[in-house]
């Protein structure tokens, strides 16, 4: 198996990312910051954080290990199994 | 004059999209795999935007701002969470796994994948049938949206049925000639177009209102409760059920699920995954805030009209409003043609071929697919004339129906012990129950069953749990059949 124990940390990470994309701690808060309700800024910042952590998940190789595959060394551009790339669009 | 201009912009845009489809058709092969999956050769930008544009439908473009206008900007949170985060996670959990086994076993549809794994034509047909059932209201939703959009744009000069008929005609024509490559190409065009146009629209309206701060102040003066998070329609139950049912439902939508099979390489899926939250936010933020800000403007929105075109009509020139409506109609068209295309592959491959005529020629299959699309779209058009609910209600029904498929599919993908009986029970029982709940509000003979309980919790959420529990429980108590083969879903490391 190529899974790493440290990869397991991604499971609670994803759970937290999903759960707090909704700004629950700001329930009922009505402050306006920089022209928008503050809880909208929470959401905007949170989705930015998600994008960053998703990119890290892919880069670290956990994306492949999570499916029981070996991460490609140095490259993410391979075509898996050779079965899918038929050399582009032309007939 | 303005009427002619507006209509000209809308029809012109649809014609350009159609022309692009024809170009794509010229480079297409005539095989089923090319028609439905563009020979599994879709790259990152196109995959991202084709999935994106497919998600963007009347539900997002008109339904979303309408809800933000009526109930507050919290809809941004619901949609951002489900599309930007939860769907992205499912993109990996369901999508990547499906891509891995789909590429190895050459699957084209979800039903085909499950049918092959469990050696069951019945399961294959069941999944396809259920999918087509819930596809119907969603195609109808696009026609309703288009009908309403043109009524709003032309002040009723084009009747509701006229707009719905126009888009029905275009979508049939489109799917019949283009195939997935054409659909994917125009989706990219439309995704980029909508993303830019919605920001221009927001900038235009906000500057007319005196800036973002002033727009928000105006909104809060008219509707003070919009400023605080939660409250009104937005109960925790509503937020959680909408986010969960829609996100899981989206993954089982034929047109989205089929996208999991089309990526050229794993890199394509990875890049799309990481870009997803940002892309989603870029679209939803201006679109839904426009709806919420509209509540603070003196604009009056007539009943049955959509907020977005009305607000734009007030603050921007007629040609620009027409351009936005054209973009929205294009969004509906790209949603619909993707749906119809995927629906037709479900119909021909999972129902017609296995059950009716296994030896049908490719040519015959292609004709059956096109006739099926025309019939399906026409029936949905007829149903759309009755306008059975708001855009959000009709959309929600469809999403929840699909969401009930998700847990059994995840079970099959990850748990080798899943049995055919477990799958059939886990799919059929919750589906039948939910269908009864939905139909009870339409049929006079049965008492109307509640759709939500205890302050906004959707019954579909409970049925999702039931579908998972049944799949697991029944699988534990039944033995795998001779024909089933768990190794079909194993991921091999190269």
């Amino acid at each position: 198996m190529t899974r790493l124990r440290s990869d397991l940390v991604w499971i609670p990470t994803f759970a937290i990312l999903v759960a707090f994309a909704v700004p629950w701690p700001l329930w009922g808060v009505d402050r306006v910051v920089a022209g928008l309700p503050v809880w909208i800024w929470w959401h905007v910042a949170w989705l930015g954080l998600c994008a960053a952590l998703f990119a890290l998940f892919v880069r670290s190789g956990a994306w492949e290990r999570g499916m029981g595959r070996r991460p490609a060394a140095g490259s993410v551009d391979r075509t898996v199994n050779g079965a899918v790339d038929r050399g582009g669009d032309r007939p | 004059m303005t009427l002619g201009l507006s209509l000209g912009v809308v029809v012109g845009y649809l014609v350009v999209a159609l022309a692009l489809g024809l170009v794509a058709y010229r480079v297409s092969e005539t095989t089923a795999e090319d028609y439905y999956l563009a020979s599994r050769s879709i790259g990152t930008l196109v995959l991202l935007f084709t999935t994106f544009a497919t998600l963007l439908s009347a539900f997002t473009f008109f339904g979303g701002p309408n809800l933000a206008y009526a109930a507050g900007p919290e809809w941004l949170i619901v949609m951002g969470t489900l599309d930007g985060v939860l769907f992205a996670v499912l993109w990996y959990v369901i999508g990547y796994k499906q891509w891995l086994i789909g590429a190895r076993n050459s699957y084209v549809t979800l039903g085909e994948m499950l049918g092959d794994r469990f050696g069951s034509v019945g399961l294959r047909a069941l999944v396809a049938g259920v999918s087509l059932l819930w596809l119907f209201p969603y195609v109808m939703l696009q026609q309703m949206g288009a009908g309403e959009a043109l009524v709003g744009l032309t002040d009723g000069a084009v009747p509701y049925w006229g707009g719905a008929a126009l888009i029905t005609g275009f979508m049939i024509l489109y799917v019949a000639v283009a195939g997935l490559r054409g659909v994917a190409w125009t989706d990219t065009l439309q995704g980029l177009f909508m993303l830019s146009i919605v920001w221009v629209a927001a900038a235009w309206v906000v500057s007319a209102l005196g800036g973002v701060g002033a727009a928000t102040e105006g909104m809060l003066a008219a509707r003070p409760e919009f400023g605080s998070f939660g409250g009104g329609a937005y109960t925790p139950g509503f937020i959680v059920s909408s986010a969960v049912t829609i996100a899981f439902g989206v993954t089982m939508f034929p047109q989205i699920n089929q996208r999991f099979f089309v990526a050229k390489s794993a890199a394509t899926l990875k890049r799309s995954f990481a870009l997803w939250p940002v892309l989603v936010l870029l679209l939803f933020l201006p679109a839904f805030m426009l709806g919420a800000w509209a509540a603070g403007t003196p604009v009056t929105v007539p009943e049955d009209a959509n907020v977005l075109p009305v607000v734009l009509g007030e603050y921007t020139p007629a040609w620009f409003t027409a351009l936005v409506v054209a973009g929205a109609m294009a969004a509906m068209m790209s949603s619909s043609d993707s749906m119809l295309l995927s629906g037709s592959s479900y119909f021909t491959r999972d129902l017609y071929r296995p059950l009716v005529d296994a030896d049908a020629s490719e040519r015959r299959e292609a004709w059956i697919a096109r006739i099926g699309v025309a019939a399906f779209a026409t029936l949905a058009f007829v149903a759309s004339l009755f306008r059975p609910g708001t855009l959000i209600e009709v959309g929600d029904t469809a999403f929840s129906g699909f969401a009930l498929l998700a847990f059994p599919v995840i079970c099959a993908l990850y748990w080798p012990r899943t049995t055919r009986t477990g799958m059939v029970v886990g799919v059929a029982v919750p589906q039948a129950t939910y269908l009864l709940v939905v139909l009870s509000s339409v049929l006079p003979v049965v008492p109307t069953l509640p759709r939500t309980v205890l302050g906004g919790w959707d019954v579909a959420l409970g049925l999702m749990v039931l579908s998972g529990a049944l799949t697991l429980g029944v699988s534990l108590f039944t033995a795998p059949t001779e024909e089933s083969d768990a190794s079909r879903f194993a991921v091999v490391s190269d």
Side-chain angles (χ1 to χ4, degrees):
Chain A
M1 237 14 184
T2 48
R3 288 188 178 92
L4 296 180
R5 184 164 292 186
S6 59
D7 285 341
L8 290 177
V9 80
W10 283 108
I11 296 173
T13 305
F14 281 167
I16 291 168
L17 285 180
V18 172
F20 288 97
V22 178
W24 298 113
L26 298 178
W27 190 265
V29 171
D30 60 358
R31 262 187 69 192
V32 172
V33 175
L36 288 176
V38 66
W39 45 270
I40 289 186
W41 290 118
W42 166 301
H43 186 68
V44 170
W46 196 266
L47 262 63
L49 176 71
C50 287
L53 287 177
F54 287 172
L56 183 67
F57 174 73
V58 169
R59 255 167 208 284
S60 71
W63 168 286
E64 294 292 358
R65 289 192 298 272
M67 290 291 164
R69 299 170 54 80
R70 258 197 321 271
S75 160
V76 288
D77 276 327
R78 277 174 331 146
T79 303
V80 174
N81 298 340
V84 282
D85 189 357
R86 306 224 177 104
D89 283 354
R90 300 287 162 231
Chain B
M1 186 57 216
T2 9
L3 179 67
L5 178 74
S6 303
L7 274 180
V9 170
V10 170
V11 174
Y13 190 94
L14 295 179
V15 169
V16 168
L18 189 65
L20 197 69
L22 283 169
V23 174
Y25 176 67
R26 305 263 315 167
V27 303
S28 290
E29 296 165 46
T30 52
T31 61
E33 203 167 11
D34 195 71
Y35 183 70
Y36 293 124
L37 300 183
S39 298
R40 299 178 203 267
S41 66
I42 301 283
T44 306
L45 183 75
V46 175
L47 179 76
L48 193 62
F49 274 102
T50 185
T51 310
F52 184 63
T54 305
L55 284 177
L56 298 182
S57 62
F59 186 77
T60 310
F61 229 53
F62 289 148
N66 289 354
L67 192 58
Y69 173 79
E74 285 92 336
W75 189 242
L76 171 67
I77 307 293
V78 177
M79 291 293 283
T81 302
L82 75 91
D83 258 349
V85 193
L86 189 49
F87 177 72
V89 173
L90 295 173
W91 173 274
Y92 173 67
V93 172
I94 299 177
Y96 185 49
K97 178 96 183 187
Q98 267 190 230
W99 180 78
L100 285 171
I101 57 185
R104 185 156 60 92
N105 300 323
S106 306
Y107 298 134
V108 172
T109 67
L110 179 68
E112 186 178 357
M113 182 181 92
L114 295 171
D116 182 54
R117 155 73 177 80
F118 294 98
S120 166
V121 174
L123 179 63
R124 181 176 183 171
L126 176 68
V127 170
V130 163
S131 302
L132 289 174
L133 175 72
W134 298 116
L135 202 57
F136 191 81
Y138 209 71
V139 170
M140 191 172 88
L141 171 74
Q142 314 308 320
Q143 293 158 325
M144 290 167 59
E148 288 173 6
L150 280 190
V151 169
L153 185 69
T154 62
D155 276 329
V158 175
Y160 168 79
W161 66 264
L166 178 74
I167 203 155
T168 309
F170 262 97
M171 60 173 106
I172 293 174
L173 200 59
Y174 202 80
V175 176
V177 299
L180 183 69
R181 200 187 309 274
V183 168
W185 284 15
T186 43
D187 279 352
T188 310
L189 171 84
Q190 288 163 358
L192 286 167
F193 177 78
M194 285 184 307
L195 206 52
S196 22
I197 204 93
V198 78
W199 278 96
V200 176
W204 211 316
V205 172
V206 161
S207 71
L209 293 174
V212 172
T216 304
E217 262 172 46
M219 172 185 90
L220 294 177
R223 304 289 300 271
E225 73 279 16
F226 277 19
S228 77
F229 180 53
Y234 298 108
T235 61
F238 174 80
I239 293 174
V240 173
S241 342
S242 303
V244 172
T245 54
I246 300 179
F248 280 87
V250 164
T251 63
M252 292 297 125
F253 254 101
Q255 79 277 17
I256 302 287
N257 195 276
Q258 210 158 41
R259 294 290 188 277
F260 296 149
F261 293 129
V262 302
K264 191 173 190 168
S265 68
T268 309
L269 285 167
K270 289 174 187 171
R271 286 198 207 102
S272 306
F273 166 77
L275 286 171
W276 198 252
V278 174
L279 199 60
V280 159
L281 196 61
L282 280 176
L283 183 95
F284 290 168
L285 187 65
F288 298 164
M289 283 316 292
L290 270 179
W293 283 326
T297 63
V299 173
T300 47
V301 180
E303 209 179 326
D304 279 354
N306 292 305
V307 175
L308 205 61
V310 174
V311 174
L312 293 176
E314 187 67 28
Y315 294 101
T316 67
W319 64 265
F320 184 77
T321 311
L323 205 58
V324 173
V325 170
M329 295 207 25
M332 295 169 208
M333 200 172 83
S334 70
S335 291
S336 317
D337 53 27
S338 301
M339 284 178 230
L340 290 172
L341 183 69
S342 300
S344 77
S345 70
Y346 279 40
F347 176 67
T348 54
R349 298 180 70 94
D350 298 340
L351 293 171
Y352 182 77
R353 222 173 237 288
L355 300 179
V356 182
D357 181 4
D359 305 317
S361 64
E362 289 253 333
R363 203 182 141 74
R364 189 176 168 81
E365 181 181 321
W367 275 109
I368 296 281
R370 287 174 171 90
I371 293 166
V373 164
F376 193 85
T378 310
L379 282 176
F381 165 65
V382 172
S384 76
L385 297 178
F386 294 98
R387 310 181 85 174
T390 67
L391 297 177
I392 294 281
E393 285 162 2
V394 173
D396 243 349
T397 304
F399 283 125
S400 299
F402 281 111
L404 298 181
L405 281 175
F407 282 176
V409 169
I410 293 174
C411 232
L413 285 172
Y414 286 96
W415 192 42
R417 182 66 184 76
T418 313
T419 67
R420 187 185 70 191
T421 322
M423 289 298 289
V424 171
V425 175
V427 170
V429 173
Q431 288 291 344
T433 315
Y434 187 61
L435 192 61
L436 186 70
V437 172
V438 171
L439 289 181
S440 73
S441 65
V442 195
L443 298 177
V445 287
V446 276
T448 301
L449 299 166
R451 296 282 282 275
T452 56
V453 287
L454 307 170
W457 293 91
D458 194 333
V459 292
L461 202 61
L463 291 174
M464 278 177 73
V465 175
L466 178 71
S467 71
L470 282 175
T471 312
L472 286 171
V474 174
S475 291
L476 276 177
F477 288 103
T478 50
T481 51
E482 285 274 310
E483 301 83 21
S484 69
D485 179 6
S487 74
R488 303 294 284 170
F489 280 13
V491 172
V492 285
S493 201
D494 46 3

